[in-house]
Amino acid sequence: MAIERTLILIKPDGAARRLTGLTIDRLDSTGLELVGAKMVKVSEALAREHYKALADKPFFPNLIRYIRGEFHGIKDGRVLALVYRGENAIKRVREIAGATNPEQAAPGTIRGSFGRITTAQQFENVLHASSDPADAAREVALWFAAGEVLD
Ligand code: TYD
């Protein structure tokens, strides 16, 4: 079993709907270790870099606006960024997060319980969680400076 680190972002819908505590509680219940946490102002450049693999998707422009808080009145587009560490951390966090599409996310998962699809077809799914080891390494390095994440 691999010891992994994974990046979690509490997205603006999660923050606006006061789901930050609930999300951290679910993450804590996995037994994984919280090794990084900070509030980050999401610049346009950071948002585009984070989601660069999706740059050619039709939903990309609104995804950038969403993560920057434009649909939820979040001041300066700020999000809580977290890093959890432990055995199979990436898969375990994805399991409690649920599927990307809130309509397909299993009951009891965070996205299945609290996510929604807007009338403009934007997925609002409460949190971001890294999807594989390469993404996790890239994302942790993008959102946190060396030294901000503990061993
Ligand atoms: P993606 O990286 O595919 O999923 P995940 O967040 O589960 O790793 O997509 C990033 C975000 O883009 C997703 O959380 C919500 C948004 N999105 C849409 O709004 N519509 C879509 O059809 C897809 C696939 C994603």
Side-chain angles (χ1 to χ4, degrees), residues 26 94-99 102 104-115:
R26 299 275 180 98
R94 294 281 294 190
E95 278 170 2
I96 63 160
Q104 292 171 354
T109 62
I110 299 169
R111 289 166 164 179
S113 301
F114 303 108

Side-chain angles (χ1 to χ4, degrees), residues 1 14 22 25-26 29 31 53 65 71 76 81 83 89 100 112 116 130 147:
M1 291 272 181
L22 179 142
D25 194 48
R26 299 275 180 98
S29 299
R65 296 177 67 200
F71 300 138
D76 337 302
V83 179
T100 303
R116 67 172 195 140
S130 303

Side-chain angles (χ1 to χ4, degrees), residues 11 50-51 53-54 57-60 62-63 66 94 97-102 111 117 121-131 135 139:
K11 291 180 174 179
H50 177 77
Y51 281 126
L54 301 173
K57 302 287 185 196
F59 57 83
F60 183 74
N62 277 342
L63 178 60
Y66 164 45
R94 294 281 294 190
T100 303
N101 180 339
R111 289 166 164 179
I117 304 178
Q121 297 303 306
Q122 178 67 43
F123 295 178
E124 292 187 353
N125 53 14
V126 186
L127 76 162
H128 169 79
S130 303
S131 55
D135 264 350
E139 292 173 1

Side-chain angles (χ1 to χ4, degrees), residues 2 6 16 24 36 38 43 50 66 70 72 75 89 99 120 126 129 139 143:
T6 187
I24 292 175
K38 68 173 176 179
S43 66
H50 177 77
Y66 164 45
E70 287 188 32
H72 296 88
K75 193 178 159 196
V126 186
E139 292 173 1
W143 289 81

